[in-house]
RNA sequence: CGGGGUGUAGCACAGCCUGGUAGUGCGCAAGCUUUGGGAGCUUGAGGUCGUGGGUUCGAAUCCCGCCACCCCGACCA
């Protein structure tokens, strides 16, 4: 591509609303433009990255035995009404009406449609397993779109669906897709972790998230440094040893006057004496199905509400208001405690190890000292707290480390959640009619563009991984010298003949401008050709992620560059 | 949905408090010079000041409504 003919509108200044590197750089470098909140145009460079990513995805999906097809983005309401999601999806669903008043929505995901297709077309176990996927725009009216392409209301997704005869076969399909996903994310050149995750409203039994590590990721995840354990903090567990505290050491419970002391921090500084947060207990009141539930965690821990909801087997839990807390405990907020609490009590298992804890006394301005689980209160013991950096790995007890991640992919075994409800059945080899067992597998394709930039950027611009860079080599001829231009053109043509995707900056711009734009656009290899190099018969080859350039003779330049492209994970075009 | 903020030239902003015919930088066009890290000088084009109403002799500026966008929270396969 010739830069002079290319549509690459770059900007010197960062757009005022851009908050993350990917947002700012994709706009500045001319990859994308915003149309509305969470709605973007992909410009030619952005489109090339998208194509690179989706090509890798298609390649691996096909290799895994999935077949590409396409469902509509606009969907009649009947399908979501049948599954119940017309209501449960709530305001996140973009709804519309046709001229006759018929109701439709824009597809936020497509389980219902595919299930309908399968119930109409699949009758026998002989037609299974089946694995279908599409790459298509999804629409979700997010409460708050943000960070450019990271959370959009319209976004491109690859979604695959598997159909199997039973749970075992479905698990096998899931395993195949998991391997395909690993290949995809590795080929994209992204640093990622496969983490255990909450299956959420999809209602699946098994699921895993593919989290792209990035400073600005929306998700918090933990990963073990020694073993392969990794999990979203929503579900992450901490190491726990079943050891009992020694009874003999317990002190006698005593009430202490603690005026105006509400938080754990205030308790620590008020009582002093080397009291540490882990020797206190935090008692949170939740309202679940209209009834109060007290969750007790160690003072240095936080309640994991996803875990709490799972323990209670409910969709969601709600923190009680100040008024409700007062009604339930008889004390103002900050003085709740498990001793003599009248109501359901859920206790984090780490609490059972705390000796002589300080807790609220359910009386305003009063706390108890020397409170011990088992003696002063009981309650149901569960894993309840939000895992933190200090926790041990549940598998090997080495230290867990905290990361931020961007959810690039999510795979689920759905089971018969949709097939049973919608009557997608088949006849097995024993002549029995059974619901198909489903799995679904998503990748946020447009999101991955931004995720890659989040992971690979510096002060000057983007540093694309070779596999998804819009062009592999960026040629920068310097000056208006005719010989330089001719030599550069020669190199450009030779690279193209060798199957390398090259961009040549043939604009009449000063060297500084070309260098700045080259750094901003972020192609992995820059080849600088100037008068100086021409005299010595050399071009300057600089990798975007390296500090220093390398002088390479024109005689070996093309071989050098093609080898470098391949070494960095790039593929050469078939030019035969 | 709650709280906060911003809408003025393609981009980033000043002007608003204290009302009086719209400004700066970058970018764009032309000319001369310059040419290995976003050049200098000269000239020029470009704006219904988000939108509707109100106050006023007069509104970018004051008042009210609406819209859009951003941030924090809530929510979110």
């Amino acid at each position: 591509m010739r830069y002079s003919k290319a549509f690459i509108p770059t900007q010197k200044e960062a757009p005022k609303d851009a908050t993350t590197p990917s947002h700012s750089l994709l706009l500045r470098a001319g990859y994308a433009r915003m149309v509305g909140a969470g709605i973007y145009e992909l410009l030619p460079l952005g489109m090339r990255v998208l194509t690179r990513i989706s090509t890798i995805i298609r390649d691996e999906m096909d290799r895994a035995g999935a077949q590409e097809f396409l469902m509509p983005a606009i969907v009649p309401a009947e399908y979501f009404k049948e599954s119940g999601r017309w209501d449960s999806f709530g305001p996140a669903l973009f709804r519309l009406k046709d001229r006759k008043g018929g109701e439709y929505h824009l597809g936020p995901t497509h389980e219902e449609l595919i299930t309908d297709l399968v119930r109409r077309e699949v009758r026998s176990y002989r037609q299974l397993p089946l694995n279908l996927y599409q790459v298509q725009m999804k629409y979700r009216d997010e409460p708050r779109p943000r960070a450019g392409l990271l959370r959009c209301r319209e976004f491109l997704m690859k979604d695959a669906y598997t159909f199997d005869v039973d749970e075992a076969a479905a698990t096998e399909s899931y395993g195949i897709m998991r391997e395909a996903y690993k290949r995809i994310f590795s080929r994209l050149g992204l640093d990622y972790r496969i983490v255990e995750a909450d299956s959420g409203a999809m209602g699946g039994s098994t699921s895993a998230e593919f989290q792209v590590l990035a400073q600005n990721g929306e998700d918090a995840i933990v990963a073990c440094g020694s073993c392969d354990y990794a999990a979203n903090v929503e579900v992450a567990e901490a190491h726990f040893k079943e050891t009992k505290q020694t009874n003999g050491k317990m002190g006698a419970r005593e009430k202490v006057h603690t005026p105006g002391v509400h938080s754990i921090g205030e308790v620590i500084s008020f009582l002093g004496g080397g009291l540490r947060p882990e020797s206190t207990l935090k008692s949170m009141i939740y309202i679940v199905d209209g009834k109060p539930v007290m969750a007790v965690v160690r003072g240095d821990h936080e309640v994991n509400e996803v875990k709490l909801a799972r323990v209670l087997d409910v969709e969601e839990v709600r923190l009680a208001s100040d008024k409700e807390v007062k009604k339930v405990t008889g004390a103002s907020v900050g003085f709740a405690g498990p001793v003599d609490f009248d109501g359901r009590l859920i206790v984090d298992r780490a609490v059972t190890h705390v000796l002589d804890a300080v807790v609220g006394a359910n009386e305003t301005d009063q706390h108890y000292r020397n409170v011990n689980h088992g003696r002063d209160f009981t309650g149901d013991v569960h894993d309840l707290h939000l895992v933190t950096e200090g926790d041990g790995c549940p598998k090997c007890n080495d230290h867990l480390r905290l990361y931020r991640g961007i959810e690039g992919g999510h795979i689920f075994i759905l089971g018969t959640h949709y097939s049973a409800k919608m009557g997608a059945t088949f006849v097995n080899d024993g002549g029995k009619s059974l619901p198909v067992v489903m799995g679904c597998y998503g990748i946020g394709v447009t999101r991955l563009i931004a995720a890659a930039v989040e992971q690979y950027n510096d002060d000057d611009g983007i540093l694309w991984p070779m596999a998804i860079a819009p062009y592999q080599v960026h040629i920068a001829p310097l000056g208006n010298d005719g010989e330089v231009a001719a030599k550069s053109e020669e190199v450009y043509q030779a690279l193209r003949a060798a199957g390398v995707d090259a961009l040549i900056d043939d604009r009449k711009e000063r060297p500084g401008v070309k260098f700045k734009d080259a750094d901003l656009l972020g192609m992995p290899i820059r080849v600088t050709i100037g008068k100086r190099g021409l005299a010595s018969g050399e071009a300057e080859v600089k990798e975007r992620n390296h500090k220093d350039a390398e002088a390479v003779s024109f005689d070996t330049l093309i071989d050098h560059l093609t080898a470098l492209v391949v070494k960095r994970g790039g593929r050469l075009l078939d030019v035969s």
Side-chain angles (χ1 to χ4, degrees):
Chain A
M1 188 64 185
R2 294 175 197 286
Y3 203 130
S4 64
K5 302 279 194 292
F7 182 56
I8 308 176
T10 61
Q11 294 167 193
K12 277 188 194 177
E13 290 182 84
K16 73 172 167 175
D17 290 330
T19 49
T20 61
S22 70
H23 192 189
S24 175
L25 289 172
L26 288 171
L27 296 177
R28 275 189 61 205
Y31 285 78
R33 288 292 183 264
M34 186 173 94
V35 174
I39 306 171
Y40 285 83
E41 296 160 332
L42 275 190
L43 306 190
L45 283 184
M47 189 61 209
R48 287 187 71 93
V49 178
L50 178 71
T51 302
R52 298 260 196 221
I53 294 174
S54 52
T55 298
I56 289 173
I57 292 173
R58 287 190 165 99
D59 191 31
E60 293 297 337
M61 293 308 293
D62 293 345
R63 181 207 293 262
Q67 302 172 65
E68 184 167 12
F69 78 131
L70 187 61
M71 290 187 275
I74 180 168
V75 185
E78 57 186 276
Y79 301 96
F80 265 49
K81 283 185 173 169
E82 185 177 357
S83 73
R85 292 211 290 186
W86 181 258
D87 293 322
S88 68
F89 230 92
L93 201 60
F94 275 109
R95 296 158 209 261
L96 54 156
K97 283 186 179 164
D98 68 10
R99 63 176 74 203
K100 291 181 290 190
E103 292 180 301
Y104 296 80
H105 70 267
L106 300 178
T109 173
H110 283 79
E111 283 77 13
E112 286 83 348
L113 269 194
I114 184 82
T115 304
D116 173 68
L117 178 68
V118 165
R119 82 174 153 190
R120 282 185 284 134
E121 307 300 338
V122 172
R123 289 176 185 79
S124 161
Y125 73 96
R126 292 173 195 275
Q127 292 167 281
L128 300 175
L130 185 61
N131 186 343
L132 297 171
Y133 77 98
Q134 63 171 345
V135 178
Q136 198 213 37
M137 282 299 182
K138 295 286 189 269
Y139 297 87
R140 297 180 191 178
D141 194 358
E142 295 282 347
R144 185 142 92 88
R146 71 186 98 185
L149 290 179
L150 282 177
R151 182 168 286 277
C152 283
R153 294 195 292 176
E154 178 189 79
F155 59 98
L156 198 66
M157 184 188 223
K158 186 287 300 175
D159 47 324
Y161 304 88
T162 56
F163 302 88
D164 284 282
V165 294
D166 57 25
E167 195 73 30
T171 302
E172 197 173 317
S173 294
Y174 178 84
I176 291 169
M177 292 299 269
R178 193 173 191 274
E179 287 307 307
Y181 269 49
K182 280 165 75 171
R183 292 183 60 90
I184 289 167
F185 281 81
S186 297
R187 277 181 64 184
L188 294 174
L190 299 173
D191 188 12
Y192 70 98
R193 295 288 185 279
I194 303 173
V195 309
E196 288 180 17
D198 184 32
S199 297
M202 304 293 300
S205 52
T206 302
S207 86
E209 289 174 345
F210 284 68
Q211 290 278 357
V212 177
L213 301 186
Q215 210 73 52
N216 289 293
E218 287 187 303
D219 295 319
I221 62 177
V222 291
C224 179
S226 302
C227 71
D228 65 351
Y229 180 78
N232 194 307
V233 293
E234 287 181 351
V235 300
E237 293 179 30
H239 183 76
F240 181 74
K241 245 192 7 235
E242 294 282 353
T243 50
K244 274 283 160 201
Q245 53 194 4
T246 40
N247 288 336
K249 287 187 189 165
M250 289 185 205
R253 192 171 92 205
E254 65 175 305
K255 197 178 269 185
V256 284
H257 184 53
T258 51
V261 175
H262 305 96
S263 67
I264 295 296
E266 286 167 353
V267 169
I268 299 292
S269 51
F270 181 84
L271 292 175
L275 183 65
R276 298 169 50 150
E278 48 267 46
S279 297
T280 67
L281 299 183
K282 198 182 281 183
S283 309
M284 310 291 287
I285 310 289
Y286 287 89
I287 303 297
V288 180
D289 290 338
K291 280 180 273 184
V293 172
M294 178 181 285
V296 184
V297 295
R298 229 164 60 184
D300 58 325
H301 285 156
E302 297 295 334
V303 174
N304 182 329
E305 297 184 0
V306 172
K307 286 183 183 173
L308 180 62
R310 187 172 292 179
V311 164
L312 297 168
D313 195 25
V314 293
E315 286 283 312
E316 59 173 5
V317 297
R318 174 176 69 80
L319 204 56
S321 67
D322 292 6
K323 233 195 215 162
E324 288 165 328
V325 169
K326 196 151 192 176
K327 194 176 153 208
V328 170
T329 66
S332 11
V333 174
F335 301 97
V339 180
D340 300 329
F341 174 71
D342 182 24
R344 178 129 192 226
L345 198 56
I346 311 286
V347 179
D348 182 48
R349 53 193 191 183
V351 168
T352 62
H353 285 181
V354 181
L355 183 68
D356 290 344
V358 174
V359 304
N362 292 327
E363 199 176 324
T364 302
D365 294 344
Q366 299 289 343
H367 278 78
Y368 282 124
R369 272 185 193 277
N370 301 334
V371 167
N372 290 281
H373 178 259
R375 183 189 71 181
D376 302 297
F377 67 99
T378 50
D380 302 338
V381 177
H382 292 278
D383 172 35
L384 200 61
H385 76 272
L386 206 57
V387 168
T388 65
E389 183 100 25
D391 280 312
C393 171
K395 277 193 184 170
C396 71
N397 199 22
D398 196 5
H399 284 300
L400 287 178
R401 290 189 55 195
L402 208 51
Y403 298 90
R404 304 291 307 175
I406 297 163
E407 186 183 350
H410 202 159
I411 58 179
F412 300 82
I413 295 180
L414 291 175
T416 55
H417 184 78
Y418 292 93
S419 55
K421 188 174 273 180
M422 295 180 64
T425 59
F426 69 102
V427 174
N428 73 3
D429 56 3
K432 199 176 163 201
S433 184
L434 294 168
V436 290
V437 181
M438 294 173 58
C440 74
Y441 312 84
I443 292 181
V445 187
T446 37
R447 173 180 278 183
L448 285 181
I449 298 173
V453 178
E454 286 297 331
Q455 202 165 80
Y456 299 110
N457 70 80
D458 64 16
D459 289 344
D460 295 314
I462 302 168
L463 292 75
W464 290 113
M466 182 64 77
I468 61 174
Y471 295 96
Q472 296 161 327
V473 175
H474 185 131
I475 306 170
L478 302 184
N480 290 324
D481 188 276
E483 282 180 57
V484 169
K487 191 70 191 175
S488 302
E489 177 69 18
E490 189 187 313
V491 170
Y492 174 60
Q493 296 297 352
L495 281 176
R496 279 166 42 115
V500 174
D501 242 323
L503 175 69
I504 179 168
D505 192 348
D506 58 339
R507 298 175 301 169
K508 290 189 179 19
E509 286 290 355
R510 299 163 59 85
V513 174
K514 292 191 176 185
F515 287 141
K516 285 289 184 189
D517 276 334
D519 287 346
L520 181 60
L521 301 193
M523 306 319 156
I525 302 172
R526 186 184 79 199
V527 178
T528 308
I529 299 171
K531 228 171 174 173
R532 284 193 325 222
L534 221 52
S536 59
E538 289 170 328
E540 186 183 285
V541 175
K542 184 181 173 301
E543 293 181 68
R544 181 66 177 82
N545 57 347
H546 290 181
K547 213 179 196 160
D548 300 313
E550 182 186 359
V552 178
S553 162
F554 284 113
D555 300 334
T556 57
L557 182 62
I558 303 302
D559 288 344
H560 181 88
L561 291 173
T562 50
L564 193 52
V565 167
V566 171
K567 184 183 137 208
R568 292 275 306 266
R571 299 210 170 175
L572 303 179
L573 300 175
D574 181 7
V575 288
S576 57

